[in-house]
Amino acid sequence: MTIESSTSTPAVSVCNKDIGSLPAAFPFLSANILELFLLTGKHAVVTGGARGIGYVISEAYLQAGVSKLAIIDYSRNDEGISKLRAEFPKATISYYDCDVRSAEQVQKVIETIHEEFKTIEIFVANAGIAWTSGALIEQPDDAEWNNVINVDLNGVYHCAKNIGKIFKQQGKGSLIMTASMSAHIVNVPQLQAAYNVAKAGVLHLGKSLAVEWAPFARVNTISPGYIATELSDFVPDDIKNIWYSLTPKGRQGHPRELCGAYVYFASDASTYTTGSDLRVDGGYCSV
């Protein structure tokens, strides 16, 4: 077999980049490591940001210098939002009521925030609910399954689809999605197949979008372990004691112990980090 040579360079594309344009340019980065972690002047959106993990992410971003923050939630927390506004009077802090299960609501609220903020550098798709219904085959219908999948997976998809268009238009952005250690392992003793499936979907969606969006944005996931928020208040102590025994750290995590991961992925300290997942689980997945 003879391969004919050509004087022209073929247009080869790898991960949406032409070979002829490689290597891509380095970003401009501060020489000061601490400055790389600052979010000074950036604009951020956090879904599920009024309570629990989302609230401490919102607070951490404001502490790191975010100048405009939009909190999207389905359950308003006026006391918490007022506290943030009092603590950070120079920042613009907006609240939007939105059901992430609704593609139309998500599209509208993201477009509204973009119109108000002009740019959005950081988007955290964090809104989620727990599965509390037990064994899958004992469900009387598909309602609970559909609800968990629609919030925990499809809600993230709706957010990603709409913020991705804005990131591409801007040529920059960081999408951070809350997965779970349940995306990596099967929790015991509780039975929560729907939740595990939804979070595994989020994990792989993050990797897939990281490749699709590599020319213009970064996508990463964070996988918390058992975190002491109201999301797990319904769990009896005997079940929690089993959790502690299976977790090398011997306890649940405090929500603030997640903040460093979310700041890292949002900041210029992680400009070469995309398609990654950071487990913050007290060592649970290591055993």
Side-chain angles (χ1 to χ4, degrees):
M1 179 178 179
T2 302
I3 300 177
E4 295 183 2
S5 62
S6 172
T7 55
S8 61
T9 303
V12 181
S13 180
V14 178
C15 295
N16 301 319
K17 288 184 178 293
D18 292 333
I19 290 293
S21 67
L22 300 179
F26 293 124
F28 174 78
L29 298 173
S30 170
N32 186 301
I33 185 60
L34 295 181
E35 289 183 359
L36 290 179
F37 285 91
L38 295 178
L39 306 178
T40 306
K42 292 188 178 183
H43 304 161
V45 180
V46 181
T47 72
R51 299 178 185 277
I53 292 173
Y55 184 85
V56 298
I57 296 169
S58 298
E59 183 180 47
Y61 281 177
L62 290 165
Q63 290 171 345
V66 160
S67 61
K68 293 183 180 180
L69 172 70
I71 293 174
I72 297 174
D73 214 310
Y74 193 53
S75 179
R76 193 180 186 96
N77 177 12
D78 289 324
E79 181 180 351
I81 294 170
S82 296
K83 181 180 177 182
L84 290 178
R85 287 173 174 160
E87 187 176 353
F88 305 98
K90 294 183 179 180
T92 299
I93 303 172
S94 306
Y95 172 84
Y96 298 87
D97 186 89
C98 177
D99 183 350
V100 296
R101 296 172 296 185
S102 168
E104 292 77 14
Q105 286 190 37
V106 171
Q107 179 181 355
K108 182 177 180 180
V109 76
I110 291 178
E111 288 176 349
T112 299
I113 294 168
H114 186 227
E115 183 177 349
E116 178 186 345
F117 286 5
K118 307 307 179 187
T119 61
I120 302 172
E121 288 85 4
I122 305 157
F123 194 104
V124 181
N126 170 73
I129 58 173
W131 171 271
T132 62
S133 300
L136 192 70
I137 60 174
E138 295 178 2
Q139 303 307 304
D141 52 42
D142 298 333
E144 288 300 315
W145 170 277
N146 289 335
N147 193 41
V148 169
I149 296 297
N150 283 332
V151 175
D152 292 358
L153 178 56
N154 291 337
V156 173
Y157 156 72
H158 297 321
C159 291
K161 180 179 179 181
N162 288 281
I163 194 61
K165 295 176 182 178
I166 292 171
F167 284 171
K168 186 173 183 179
Q169 176 186 335
Q170 296 175 163
K172 62 180 180 179
S174 176
L175 172 61
I176 305 157
M177 305 189 294
T178 300
S180 171
M181 72 175 185
S182 302
H184 301 267
I185 48 87
V186 175
N187 307 66
V188 293
Q190 71 271 28
L191 305 175
Q192 53 176 49
Y195 183 83
N196 299 346
V197 168
K199 291 301 186 178
V202 170
L203 183 72
H204 210 63
L205 178 63
K207 294 178 182 179
S208 301
L209 293 181
V211 174
E212 286 190 24
W213 298 4
F216 58 86
R218 296 183 295 110
V219 185
N220 294 286
T221 58
I222 294 172
S223 289
Y226 294 120
I227 305 297
T229 70
E230 60 269 25
L231 194 66
S232 61
D233 283 347
F234 71 94
V235 180
D237 288 341
D238 60 332
I239 299 297
K240 288 183 178 179
N241 286 333
I242 296 174
W243 294 356
Y244 307 151
S245 71
L246 295 172
T247 303
K249 293 293 287 185
R251 61 175 173 83
Q252 293 187 83
H254 190 284
R256 292 186 186 280
E257 293 182 289
L258 291 165
C259 292
Y262 284 91
V263 170
Y264 170 67
F265 281 141
S267 73
D268 287 345
S270 63
T271 51
Y272 198 54
T273 306
T274 194
S276 294
D277 176 76
L278 181 51
R279 298 197 302 265
V280 187
D281 63 357
Y284 191 103
C285 292
S286 299
V287 297

